[in-house]
Amino acid sequence: MEQIQRKRWIRPCTLVYLVMIALTLITWWIGSTAKGGLELSLMVLLFALVKGQMVGDWFMGLHFVQGIWRWPILIWLFVPGTLIATAFVLSYGG
Amino acid sequence: MQKNKYPPGDLAIWIFILAELLVFAAFFSAYAFTRLKNVELFNHYQLTLDRNAALLNTLALITSSYFVVRAVADIREDDSKGCKRWLWAAIAMGAFFVLIKGGEYAHHFGAGVTLSSNAFYMFYLSLTFFHFMHVILGMVILAAVALKAGRGGYSADEHTGVETGASYWHMVDLVWLILFPLVYVMR
């Protein structure tokens, strides 16, 4: 059977790469121009966790894995991410 | 889409990766909770760090990880030469990281900063240097894989070595993605 190949305008990994670059630039901009603050710190942390999940899913290839090996990176991001967020909330008297 | 039971590469490297990630998770949590008791000190000395250098390093590691993804994609299509080229490009990005980070260390050591200067510098130096050593090890692994790819040692059917090296390198990138905002930006 003849297969019809559709040409992708961009590879998924390239799209992920560009999103990660954009989030990194926003993080740097926040660090360079703002004076900090709990909301900005948590936003920056969230960006980092999203980027981490992108690396796990699309660069490490865990998006294409089923079963327990699908989750280690997500769990790794969640646990220290939650602890870091808790410590920062507490440092602001939360 | 058919999903795999195991992640790409040798399963042993994933055990190693998870062990490494556990150590870094403990480091990150210790940093955050030590900062809790020394907020003023951490906020003050964080401003002595070079955020522009950290940005360049972050871009370098993300880009190198992307190059490694392309190397794996090429070998899956039996393109050894393409795989080799992407791997050497990734190693070049790693070398750029080492150069920038080395410059940062030279600046801090030149200013008399040591592990015992204060709690912030203790974490900054130990965390980033521990990661720095992983970057160097990752570059050695990628170089070994690139050399074998150059000799035609991998194919579309057998490229576990490429995926194993790639997984390790992505772990190095992943750790830095948390380290960068935590140490350089969040305050």
Side-chain angles (χ1 to χ4, degrees), chain A:
Chain A
M1 184 187 292
E2 188 177 334
Q3 285 190 330
I4 301 170
Q5 289 195 337
R6 290 179 188 163
K7 197 167 186 176
R8 289 173 299 192
W9 68 279
I10 188 169
R11 289 171 183 256
C13 65
T14 304
L15 189 60
V16 165
Y17 168 69
L18 293 174
V19 171
M20 287 171 64
I21 292 291
L23 290 176
T24 299
L25 290 172
I26 295 171
T27 298
W28 170 81
W29 179 77
I30 287 173
S32 298
T33 61
K35 291 183 177 179
L38 180 60
E39 292 80 7
L40 287 176
S41 290
L42 294 181
M43 184 195 294
V44 162
L45 178 63
L46 182 65
F47 286 170
L49 298 177
V50 168
K51 285 192 289 181
Q53 185 55 20
M54 286 176 161
V55 168
D57 263 7
W58 296 100
F59 283 11
M60 289 176 145
L62 297 182
H63 183 74
F64 306 103
V65 176
Q66 63 180 358
I68 57 167
W69 284 103
R70 176 79 178 81
W71 306 109
I73 299 299
L74 186 63
I75 294 168
W76 181 78
L77 290 167
F78 179 76
V79 174
T82 303
L83 289 172
I84 292 166
T86 303
F88 271 79
V89 169
L90 291 174
S91 76
Y92 277 88

Side-chain angles (χ1 to χ4, degrees), chain B residues 69-185:
Chain B
V69 171
R70 298 299 302 267
V72 172
D74 273 2
I75 199 62
R76 284 175 180 164
E77 292 171 6
D78 220 9
D79 181 2
S80 283
K81 283 183 181 174
C83 173
K84 181 191 73 176
R85 275 197 294 269
W86 284 115
L87 285 174
W88 283 116
I91 292 165
M93 286 287 114
F96 181 75
F97 178 96
V98 168
L99 203 66
I100 297 284
K101 200 81 206 116
E104 273 188 85
Y105 287 141
H107 169 75
H108 290 301
F109 292 146
V113 172
T114 66
L115 275 174
S116 52
S117 293
N118 57 52
F120 175 78
Y121 280 129
M122 190 275 287
F123 272 105
Y124 165 72
L125 289 175
S126 53
L127 246 177
T128 58
F129 193 73
F130 190 45
H131 177 266
F132 185 78
M133 297 309 290
H134 283 75
V135 173
I136 292 181
L137 176 60
M139 287 170 64
V140 171
I141 292 171
L142 288 186
V145 173
L147 288 172
K148 187 171 175 181
R151 294 194 300 268
Y154 300 109
S155 66
D157 293 330
E158 175 42 49
H159 52 267
T160 306
V162 181
E163 291 179 340
T164 301
S167 298
Y168 182 85
W169 189 253
H170 294 317
M171 182 273 287
V172 172
D173 179 30
L174 177 63
V175 168
W176 182 261
L177 290 181
I178 306 297
L179 198 157
F180 164 55
L182 179 64
V183 175
Y184 287 86
V185 179

